[in-house]
């Protein structure tokens, strides 16, 4: 509230006062008999001696409730500013957290915005503290007498340096020292709290596929036309060897799935996926694309293109009872081979030759029985992208019974392959389907190569089939085929195609699910509210003067004039001069009016009725 600085009881008929027999100023319609406002004055002060230039008689009635409402409105607007800035900080963090990953230029924009909010927030809190200090200083000055130096520091209490100096000079006055320390700590905590907001979140620059965002452009994708070694296509011998090697070197972990949609929607960079259910053994690979600058393939863009390998119904055959494998030559007479006779429950009977070099004790041998390359073999094909494979499981010795498995292994087309370069050719699919049994070796003559091949796996090997049923043997074949394709896609030469380009971005993370940040924001908002309400409550008992240099100058003019009079009448070091103490409040004049002053003649709050400046007095404005 902008108040004036003089009091005049004669300006309001309803508040006219008459001196009582005891010298107390009393309203004509009041029976108040409290202490006189003039009790401390040895002789009346004249208005002209205090304010010689003030000839105004315009007055206003001081009203504590009205003053508190005005201060509450002003402080409330400042608090609303803090509340709005708090909301803007939280909203900005929430928006950028929801972006997940964003480019470098948006990181700059975010830093600019959040810095602006936090700086404005801190300045607003700092100004709020200064305003509260400017209100409370009048209560401090009205509570007790103070030296001129203390008055000077209290009037400048908006400055923290003045508060520190006041506390230092009031070392032996706990009632002054403790509030100074508490006020300094309050300001320190407020600024530390503001600065701590930036410690509740982090901006992490991306390093992997989890930290990417996408734009249109050219990407690196695998060349799927055949198996390569380096950048060159392979011979028939080498590509079969590479197809098998890729199946061996793939990662052993596969991510389970129950529905193919889980493969499409997965946000993890699994090398391949597996579905092992009763009657269903299927394995899937999702193709990835890479930024052309990502030479180490650190951050992939997951596509919606998937290829699968699966096993159909497998057939199980047992070694014919009463027979033993015989050692002889293969049908071409080129190498020693075991001739195994087998049958099934349907009385189907046949035999199969397995080279002695591919047999062993307790082991499993996977067999590709085709005479031609898998891509050309129609006799052992079960479809354009399907091959029949065999597995022979031997017992502890070759004299014991053994088991044969025959399984169809199918490689699917690439799903969502809208461009030719997305397809895996049938020849590559069949090669992968047979890869668990391939060696890249042939028999016969170079002009008539026989491509029947075998792969031996001893007991306890990952692909060995002991204690497995026929369905699990087929599962081994299908999984190996998919692993071969997965590694081929990762190691084949790259081609550049138009697609969604992945870029490493920046991710905003708010610590502990916003708990620390929200607690900090709420504490600052609540602390600001408590501060200005406490300041208004403490100041309700005193007249809060205008916060202007003119007001302060006028209040000090009387004290300065009083000090000059003291110097003229006393020695500068006399006790009466050095013991001058000043109090702020209304001061009665000789014409029974009042003026706000800093003077030795002013009563302290305790000396006023009810410990507060009276609401019934009227203040002359200037």
């Amino acid at each position: 509230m902008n108040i004036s600085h003089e009091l005049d009881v004669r300006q309001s008929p309803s508040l006219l006062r008459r001196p009582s027999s005891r010298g107390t100023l009393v309203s004509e319609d009041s029976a108040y008999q409290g202490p006189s406002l003039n009790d401390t004055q040895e002789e009346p002060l004249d208005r002209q001696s205090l304010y010689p230039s003030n000839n105004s008689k315009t007055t206003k009635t001081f009203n504590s409730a009205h003053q508190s409402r005005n201060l509450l409105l002003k402080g409330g607007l400042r608090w609303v500013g803090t509340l709005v800035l708090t909301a803007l900080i939280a909203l900005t963090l929430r928006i950028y957290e929801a972006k997940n990953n964003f480019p470098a230029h948006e990181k700059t924009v975010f830093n600019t915005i959040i810095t602006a909010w936090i700086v404005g927030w801190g300045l607003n809190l700092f100004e709020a503290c200064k305003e509260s200090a400017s209100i409370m200083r009048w209560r401090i000055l009205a509570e007790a007498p103070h030296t001129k130096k203390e008055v000077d520091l209290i009037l400048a209490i908006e400055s923290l340096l003045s508060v520190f100096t006041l506390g230092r000079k009031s070392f032996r006055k706990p009632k002054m020292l403790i509030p100074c320390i508490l006020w300094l700590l309050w300001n320190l905590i407020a600024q530390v709290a503001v600065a701590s907001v930036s410690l509740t979140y982090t901006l992490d620059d991306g390093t992997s596929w989890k930290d990417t965002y996408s734009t249109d452009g050219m990407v690196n994708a695998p060349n799927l036309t055949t198996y390569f070694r380096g950048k060159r296509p392979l011979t028939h011998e080498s590509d079969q060897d590479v197809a098998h090697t890729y199946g061996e070197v793939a990662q052993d972990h596969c991510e389970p799935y129950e529905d193919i949609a889980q493969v499409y929607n997965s946000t993890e960079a699994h090398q391949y996926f597996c579905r092992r259910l009763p009657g269903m053994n299927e394995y899937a690979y999702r193709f990835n694309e890479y930024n052309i600058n990502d030479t180490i393939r650190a951050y992939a863009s997951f596509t919606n293109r998937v290829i699968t390998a699966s096993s159909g119904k497998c057939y199980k055959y047992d070694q014919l009872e009463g027979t033993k494998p015989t050692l002889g030559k293969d049908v071409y007479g080129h190498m020693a081979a075991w001739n195994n006779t087998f049958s099934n429950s349907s009385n189907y009977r046949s035999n199969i030759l397995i080279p002695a070099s591919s047999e062993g004790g307790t082991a499993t041998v996977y067999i590709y029985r085709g005479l031609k390359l898998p891509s050309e073999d129609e006799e052992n094909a079960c479809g354009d992208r399907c091959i029949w494979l065999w597995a022979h499981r031997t017992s502890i010795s070759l004299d014991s019974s053994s088991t044969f498995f025959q399984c169809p292994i199918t490689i699917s087309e690439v799903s969502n392959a809208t461009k030719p370069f997305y397809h895996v050719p049938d020849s590559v699919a069949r090669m992968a389907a047979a890869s668990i049994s391939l060696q890249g070796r042939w028999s016969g003559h170079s002009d008539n190569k026989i491509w029947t091949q075998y792969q031996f796996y001893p007991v306890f090997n990952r692909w060995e089939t002991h204690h497995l049923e026929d369905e699990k043997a087929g599962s081994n074949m299908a999984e190996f085929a998919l692993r071969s394709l997965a590694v081929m896609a990762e190691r084949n030469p790259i081609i550049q195609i138009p697609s969604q380009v992945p870029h490493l971005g920046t991710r905003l993370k708010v610590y502990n699910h916003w708990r620390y940040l929200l607690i900090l924001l709420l504490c600052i908002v609540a602390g600001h509210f408590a501060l200005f309400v406490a300041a208004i409550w403490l100041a309700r008992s005193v007249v809060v003067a205008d916060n202007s240099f003119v007001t302060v100058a006028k209040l000090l003019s009387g004290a300065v004039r009083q000090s000059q009079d003291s110097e003229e009448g006393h020695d500068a070091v006399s006790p009466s001069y050095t013991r001058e103490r000043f109090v702020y409040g209304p001061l009665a004049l000789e014409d029974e009016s009042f003026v706000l002053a800093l003077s030795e003649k002013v009563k302290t709050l305790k000396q006023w009725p009810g410990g507060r400046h009276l609401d019934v007095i009227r203040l002359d404005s200037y």
Side-chain angles (χ1 to χ4, degrees):
M1 172 184 175
N2 289 336
I3 60 114
S4 54
H5 298 167
E6 298 184 12
L7 310 153
D8 192 346
V9 298
R10 298 175 300 174
Q11 299 298 320
S12 175
S14 63
L15 298 175
L16 290 175
R17 302 181 180 213
R18 56 182 175 76
S20 67
S21 59
R22 299 175 58 188
T24 305
L25 293 181
V26 184
S27 171
E28 292 184 345
D29 55 357
S30 171
Y32 172 72
Q33 295 297 323
S36 170
L37 300 181
N38 292 321
D39 283 353
T40 59
Q41 296 185 194
E42 296 177 357
E43 57 184 38
L45 297 178
D46 112 77
R47 176 191 303 274
Q48 195 68 17
S49 66
L50 282 173
Y51 304 111
S53 62
N54 185 8
N55 297 315
S56 171
K57 294 295 182 180
T58 305
T59 62
K60 290 183 179 180
T61 302
F62 165 65
N63 186 290
S64 175
H66 184 60
Q67 170 182 275
S68 295
R69 284 195 299 270
N70 285 347
L71 292 175
L72 189 64
L73 176 62
K74 183 179 179 181
L77 291 175
R78 178 73 68 181
W79 180 77
V80 168
T82 295
L83 191 63
V84 169
L85 287 168
T86 301
L88 288 173
I89 290 171
L91 181 62
T92 301
L93 291 172
R94 183 67 188 90
I95 289 174
Y96 276 86
E97 184 185 44
K99 286 177 177 288
N100 199 14
N101 294 297
F102 47 87
H105 71 273
E106 288 196 31
K107 177 181 177 181
T108 302
V109 172
F110 167 79
N111 283 329
T112 301
I113 293 173
I114 201 69
T115 300
W117 294 151
I118 293 177
V119 169
W121 201 40
L123 290 175
N124 189 66
L125 283 174
F126 184 68
E127 287 299 316
C129 291
K130 290 175 63 176
E131 289 177 1
S132 298
S134 68
I135 294 172
M136 290 188 289
R137 64 183 175 180
W138 305 115
R139 174 64 183 261
I140 297 171
L141 289 170
E143 281 281 354
H146 299 281
T147 66
K148 286 192 294 183
K149 183 61 177 177
E150 289 174 342
V151 169
D152 182 50
L153 292 172
I154 293 170
L155 288 173
I157 202 173
E158 295 175 348
S159 167
L160 295 180
L161 181 59
S162 296
V163 177
F164 175 78
T165 304
L166 179 62
R168 182 171 56 83
K169 291 185 175 295
S170 304
F171 185 76
R172 298 181 182 276
K173 299 178 181 179
K175 290 185 178 180
M176 183 65 70
L177 175 61
I178 294 175
C180 288
I181 293 175
L182 293 177
W183 184 246
L184 290 172
L185 287 175
W186 175 274
N187 280 267
L188 178 62
I189 291 171
Q191 295 306 314
V192 169
V194 171
S196 297
V197 170
S198 60
L199 301 178
T200 62
Y201 66 89
T202 180
L203 288 172
D204 294 335
D205 292 328
T207 58
S208 70
W209 56 269
K210 295 182 179 180
D211 309 315
T212 61
Y213 64 95
S214 299
T215 60
D216 293 333
M218 302 297 290
V219 298
N220 287 341
N223 185 337
L224 302 174
T225 56
T226 186
Y227 282 91
F228 286 80
R229 175 174 292 163
K231 296 184 178 181
R232 295 177 299 175
L234 302 170
T235 63
H236 292 317
E237 292 86 350
S238 297
D239 60 1
Q240 294 177 78
D241 178 46
V242 169
H244 178 82
T245 301
Y246 282 175
E248 293 277 9
V249 300
Q251 297 175 5
D252 284 338
H253 171 74
C254 70
E255 181 66 14
Y257 71 96
E258 296 182 359
D259 186 88
I260 195 66
Q262 292 177 260
V263 178
Y264 289 117
N265 298 328
S266 175
T267 58
E268 299 294 328
H270 301 295
Q271 189 174 46
Y272 68 104
F273 301 80
C274 52
R275 176 160 56 176
R276 300 185 180 109
L277 301 173
M280 169 64 72
N281 288 284
E282 181 182 78
Y283 299 85
Y285 173 76
R286 179 177 57 185
F287 290 92
N288 300 328
E289 296 170 346
Y290 297 88
N291 189 306
I292 59 177
N293 297 316
D294 181 14
T295 57
I296 61 172
R297 298 186 178 185
Y299 49 100
S301 172
F302 302 138
T303 73
N304 64 347
R305 303 193 304 276
V306 172
I307 191 170
T308 64
S310 59
S311 170
K313 177 178 174 56
C314 293
Y315 298 92
K316 180 180 179 181
Y317 307 97
D318 293 319
Q319 181 179 315
L320 190 62
E321 186 176 356
T323 67
K324 296 181 181 180
T326 58
L327 183 62
K329 295 288 186 179
D330 63 13
V331 293
Y332 303 101
H334 293 246
M335 63 181 73
W338 292 99
N339 187 10
N340 297 270
T341 304
F342 60 87
S343 66
N344 62 11
S345 57
S346 301
N347 295 320
Y348 171 79
R349 177 173 176 173
S350 184
N351 69 295
I352 187 170
L353 287 168
I354 302 177
S357 59
S358 297
E359 286 281 23
T362 304
T364 297
V365 178
Y366 289 94
I367 308 166
Y368 167 63
R369 297 186 70 185
L371 303 180
K372 298 181 180 180
L373 292 167
S375 58
E376 302 171 357
D377 185 13
E378 298 302 327
E379 183 179 349
N380 286 279
C382 44
D384 291 340
R385 304 169 71 86
C386 180
I387 285 289
W388 285 100
L389 289 185
W390 290 74
H392 180 216
R393 181 172 68 197
T394 60
S395 296
I396 296 177
S397 69
L398 292 178
D399 293 333
S400 303
S401 62
S402 58
T403 304
F404 286 89
F405 302 103
Q406 181 188 18
C407 303
I409 307 301
T410 302
I411 305 298
S412 73
E413 292 282 1
V414 178
S415 62
N416 302 306
T418 57
K419 302 290 178 63
F421 41 74
Y422 292 156
H423 290 276
V424 174
D426 293 347
S427 58
V428 176
R430 283 197 188 179
M431 187 77 70
S435 59
I436 194 170
S437 61
L438 299 181
Q439 294 178 329
R441 300 177 63 181
W442 51 270
S443 59
H445 300 284
S446 59
D447 56 351
N448 185 26
K449 296 179 180 178
I450 307 302
W451 290 102
T452 304
Q453 297 174 66
Y454 313 84
Q455 279 286 1
F456 171 81
Y457 291 94
V459 68
F460 303 128
N461 184 277
R462 189 188 193 287
W463 306 108
E464 206 271 326
T465 61
H466 272 74
H467 310 296
L468 298 181
E469 294 301 321
D470 51 346
E471 182 180 307
K472 296 300 182 182
S475 177
N476 278 1
M477 299 173 188
E479 182 175 5
F480 196 99
L482 195 281
R483 287 160 59 100
S484 178
L485 285 172
V487 177
M488 181 197 75
E490 294 172 358
R491 298 196 179 187
N492 267 14
I494 60 173
I495 57 175
Q496 293 186 359
I497 61 175
S499 187
Q500 290 291 303
V501 183
H503 303 273
L504 286 177
T506 299
R507 176 178 295 185
L508 174 67
K509 295 180 182 178
V510 180
Y511 292 124
N512 201 28
H513 305 289
W514 285 71
R515 183 177 303 172
Y516 296 149
L517 177 62
L518 290 178
I519 291 175
L520 184 60
L521 296 181
L522 290 174
C523 285
I524 291 176
V525 171
H528 182 177
F529 182 81
L531 174 64
F532 88 83
V533 169
I536 295 170
W537 184 82
L538 289 172
R540 75 194 188 287
S541 302
V542 300
V543 179
V544 176
D546 293 339
N547 189 26
S548 67
F549 292 115
V550 174
T551 300
V552 175
K554 190 159 187 178
L555 288 173
L556 289 174
S557 62
V560 171
R561 190 171 289 107
Q562 182 178 334
S563 296
Q564 290 174 344
D565 293 342
S566 298
E567 283 192 76
E568 292 175 1
H570 304 86
D571 181 65
V573 294
S574 66
S576 61
Y577 175 69
T578 57
R579 288 197 296 267
E580 283 183 325
R581 297 292 186 271
F582 299 92
V583 180
Y584 164 76
L587 179 63
L589 303 178
E590 61 182 1
D591 59 357
E592 297 185 353
S593 64
F594 294 84
V595 63
L596 287 176
L598 275 167
S599 171
E600 288 184 310
K601 306 297 183 179
V602 175
K603 292 177 177 292
T604 63
L605 278 182
K606 291 181 181 180
Q607 296 173 310
W608 281 78
R612 56 183 297 162
H613 296 162
L614 297 179
D615 285 357
V616 297
I617 57 181
R618 292 175 63 83
L619 307 176
D620 286 357
S621 62
Y622 37 159

